Amino acid sequence: MVERHERLKIWQKSYDLAKDLMQVTERFPRPQQRDGLASEIRQTALSLIRTVMLANSTQGTAVNQDLDEEIDYLQVTVRLARDLRYISIGQYELLAGKIIELGKMNNGWMKAKRA
């Protein structure tokens, strides 16, 4: 039986990261809010949550591989925000740590699905 996604640690961490990113991106420059980097980060964070839910409802690892790509993309967009000085180095380190943790959790999940 498939476990409810809300009980999955990776879902909880993805949800918490999305909340953090929503708050952080509120402080981005106005031109970035609607169709810029802030919007892209928000959409990717929300997509991450949805992909965790999909991965939970499938047996194979294909969706987990998609999740891995989304995690990588989120890492790049958050790094770009740091390089453009939209977020501080401290904020970046905190967010990057959470993103890396999601990647590790997903890799463990894929290994468990293959076993």
Side-chain angles (χ1 to χ4, degrees):
M1 184 171 152
V2 175
E3 187 175 357
R4 290 285 305 155
H5 60 267
E6 295 97 342
R7 293 185 181 155
L8 296 173
K9 198 73 161 169
I10 192 169
W11 185 88
Q12 294 167 1
K13 299 266 184 187
S14 298
Y15 184 87
D16 291 342
L17 177 61
K19 285 193 311 186
D20 291 344
L21 289 168
M22 296 299 165
Q23 293 172 346
V24 166
T25 55
E26 284 295 319
R27 294 186 215 68
F28 279 31
R30 190 172 206 80
Q32 296 297 324
Q33 292 293 328
R34 189 155 181 197
D35 294 320
L37 188 57
S39 175
E40 191 68 21
I41 289 171
R42 290 180 194 133
Q43 290 175 8
T44 304
L46 293 174
S47 180
L48 209 66
I49 295 169
R50 181 179 55 242
T51 306
V52 167
M53 293 167 64
L54 290 172
N56 188 46
S57 64
T58 62
Q59 296 296 320
T61 60
V63 178
N64 290 83
Q65 290 169 352
D66 293 342
L67 179 60
D68 209 39
E69 290 174 13
E70 288 183 6
I71 291 168
D72 288 345
Y73 182 65
L74 187 59
Q75 181 71 40
V76 169
T77 56
V78 170
R79 181 179 177 185
L80 181 58
R82 181 210 59 196
D83 290 346
L84 294 172
R85 297 189 178 140
Y86 296 161
I87 61 174
S88 69
I89 292 173
Q91 287 173 315
Y92 171 75
E93 289 174 351
L94 180 68
L95 294 168
K98 291 180 179 187
I99 295 168
I100 290 167
E101 181 180 16
L102 287 176
K104 290 177 181 178
M105 292 175 85
N106 187 47
N107 286 332
W109 196 6
M110 282 194 284
K111 286 179 185 175
K113 281 185 166 186
R114 288 183 188 123

